[in-house]
Amino acid sequence: MYSSSTCIDESTTSDSLSLSPPSPLLSQAPKSPESPCRVGSGTSVILDSENSVEAESKKLPSSRFKGVVPQPNGRWGAQIYEKHQRVWLGTFVEQGEAARAYDTAAQRFRGRDAVTNVKPLSPENPDDAAELTFLNSHSKAEIVDMLRKHTYNEELEQSRRKHEVDTNGKRLDNNARISHILGGADKLWKSTRQLFEKSVTPSDVGKLNRLVIPKQHAEKHFPLQSCCSSGSAFSSSSKGLLLNFKDVTGKVWRFRYSYWNSSQSYVLTKGWSRFVKEKNLKAGDVVGFHRSSEPDQQLFIDWKAKAGSGSGGVSEPVQMVRLFGVNIFQVPGSGSCGGKRDRDVELLAFEWSKKSRVIGAL
DNA sequence: AGATGTGTTGAG
DNA sequence: TCAACACATCTG
């Protein structure tokens, strides 16, 4: 189906440079939430006042928009399906917002022939074309992440701005710059595939000194069970694993990865706070986990600053991008030309060697 | 605790 | 593929 506009998959993540959306941010912009033409979905709405009062208290109202589902708290969730699996796009206050999120995802996932709630982006329209470029220059995961965090519009606009600067002042946007900087390392980066991303919460970068890895992802990508005896999937292995994280700079980080029964969550503990400090991670920043396709099963981590935090305040004394042992880019806190968002990306080799998982007592 | 996201199921 | 809905999980 989605043949034509082909999708650049996860791969597009950060290696993608180039593309530079002309300008506008259009469509996604909050329009009238109610404008969307309803989509066929057979499901119906039935919102009669007759017997609703009672029913309403029990049944959630259906949405008239495709991909939009009601939430118990009165909000609306957006979801799209792919390969028999649901991809959650986040929750929204207005149905219209959720519908737009769905539309955006649909166009990224299904390309031109995506069925949308509102008119789809048209390549003919310059504005739409710009957004399409933006869409396809990001992995599905990234788009989903933006939708979930409600930062899609911001990023779209940001990319527009960057493009302007780029064309005028030769500045490259994050991805481009990073790819550029990576140079040879680019190959390595490209050989990775994103597993998942997480927007770090205040507690992830706070005093708790730990990063909570969403359960789903933890169990899917970072199985704790590893070898050990017991048959069941996840026995309470509160001991965890000691993993060696190899920084692209060559520096080795050792993080403890374990499961906390108390909060029933998977976490990176020992070593994490150091990472947060060195990278100057802030709540809202996104940490992405990738795995190299290489047989060595190396895992990587990249992180990006919270969308939109660029220009503004965020005081950052010293920032730099280090690649494979070399500090390529350094910017003094004072707003020198480069001082935008230079905590851009950092690649970490995450060694997932069975050997290193040792640990035992921690 | 309230919000968010998932497991499941059944319909189309 | 999709929505309904119960409920597990997460966040503040």
Side-chain angles (χ1 to χ4, degrees), chain A residues 321-338:
Chain A
V321 169
R322 299 194 297 182
L323 288 174
F324 300 97
V326 183
N327 290 334
I328 308 225
F329 200 79
Q330 236 173 326
V331 185
S334 52
S336 63
C337 59

Side-chain angles (χ1 to χ4, degrees), chain A residues 92-361:
Chain A
F92 307 82
V93 175
E94 301 296 331
Q95 286 190 58
E97 297 177 81
R100 281 194 295 279
Y102 173 85
D103 287 358
T104 297
Q107 290 176 89
R108 175 61 184 79
F109 280 60
R110 300 164 184 169
R112 288 271 274 169
D113 30 51
V115 175
T116 55
N117 289 294
V118 195
K119 48 94 187 176
L121 297 170
S122 162
E124 264 82 278
N125 176 322
D127 287 348
D128 285 8
E131 184 168 353
L132 285 169
T133 299
F134 173 78
L135 265 182
N136 291 315
S137 67
H138 289 78
S139 67
K140 293 175 185 175
E142 288 178 312
I143 296 300
V144 168
D145 192 63
M146 289 180 224
L147 294 173
R148 288 172 75 146
K149 292 188 303 180
H150 298 194
T151 59
Y152 180 81
N153 289 323
E154 277 180 71
E155 302 233 13
L156 179 57
E157 183 176 6
Q158 192 178 331
S159 102
R160 183 206 74 196
R161 294 204 200 101
K162 286 194 170 162
H163 174 253
E164 290 177 345
V165 178
D166 191 11
T167 50
N168 298 323
K170 281 275 179 127
R171 270 206 65 197
L172 304 174
D173 77 311
N174 278 350
N175 288 339
R177 183 165 79 240
I178 290 160
S179 282
H180 187 247
I181 291 172
L182 281 171
D186 196 29
K187 184 183 173 188
L188 174 62
W189 174 245
K190 280 183 175 173
S191 69
T192 68
R193 175 196 180 91
Q194 184 171 73
L195 300 175
F196 66 91
E197 289 185 328
K198 182 185 182 186
S199 171
V200 299
T201 64
S203 62
D204 285 333
V205 297
K207 302 170 188 171
L208 298 180
N209 301 320
R210 59 90 176 109
L211 167 72
V212 171
I213 299 194
K215 189 168 188 174
Q216 178 197 16
H217 294 132
E219 295 185 354
K220 181 175 180 181
H221 305 296
F222 304 152
L224 258 181
Q225 36 175 147
S226 62
C227 46
C228 314
S229 52
S230 57
S232 68
F234 292 113
S235 47
S236 51
S237 56
S238 55
K239 327 209 162 157
L241 308 170
L242 188 55
L243 304 169
N244 288 324
F245 288 69
K246 190 175 175 186
D247 192 308
V248 284
T249 69
K251 178 178 181 177
V252 175
W253 296 76
R254 182 164 292 179
F255 286 11
R256 182 197 298 177
Y257 172 56
S258 60
Y259 180 71
W260 281 357
N261 287 311
S262 60
S263 57
Q264 300 191 309
S265 51
Y266 292 87
V267 295
L268 286 185
T269 56
K270 186 179 179 184
W272 173 248
S273 59
R274 225 180 129 200
F275 177 72
V276 170
K277 186 177 180 182
E278 181 166 317
K279 310 307 175 191
N280 193 22
L281 273 188
K282 303 294 184 196
D285 286 349
V286 177
V287 176
F289 290 82
H290 305 249
R291 188 206 304 280
S292 79
S293 53
E294 304 297 307
D296 59 9
Q297 287 287 291
Q298 277 198 321
L299 291 173
F300 299 82
I301 272 187
D302 77 317
W303 65 272
K304 326 180 237 206
K306 176 182 178 183
S309 61
S311 52
V314 190
S315 58
E316 293 170 283
V318 177
Q319 311 165 324
M320 67 179 92
V321 169
R322 299 194 297 182
L323 288 174
F324 300 97
V326 183
N327 290 334
I328 308 225
F329 200 79
Q330 236 173 326
V331 185
S334 52
S336 63
C337 59
K340 205 155 201 176
R341 241 335 162 97
D342 305 298
R343 331 187 271 130
D344 290 329
V345 169
E346 178 81 18
L347 262 186
L348 296 177
F350 186 136
E351 293 189 336
W352 194 253
S353 60
K354 292 73 188 176
K355 295 289 180 78
S356 67
R357 12 187 23 160
V358 195
I359 306 318

Side-chain angles (χ1 to χ4, degrees), chain A residues 31-41 45 63-68 95-96 98-100 102-103 107 114-121:
Chain A
K31 290 273 178 175
S32 48
E34 298 309 297
S35 57
C37 37
R38 48 178 309 172
V39 173
S41 82
V45 194
S63 170
R64 53 187 181 294
F65 300 127
K66 185 177 180 61
V68 179
Q95 286 190 58
R100 281 194 295 279
Y102 173 85
D103 287 358
Q107 290 176 89
V115 175
T116 55
N117 289 294
V118 195
K119 48 94 187 176
L121 297 170

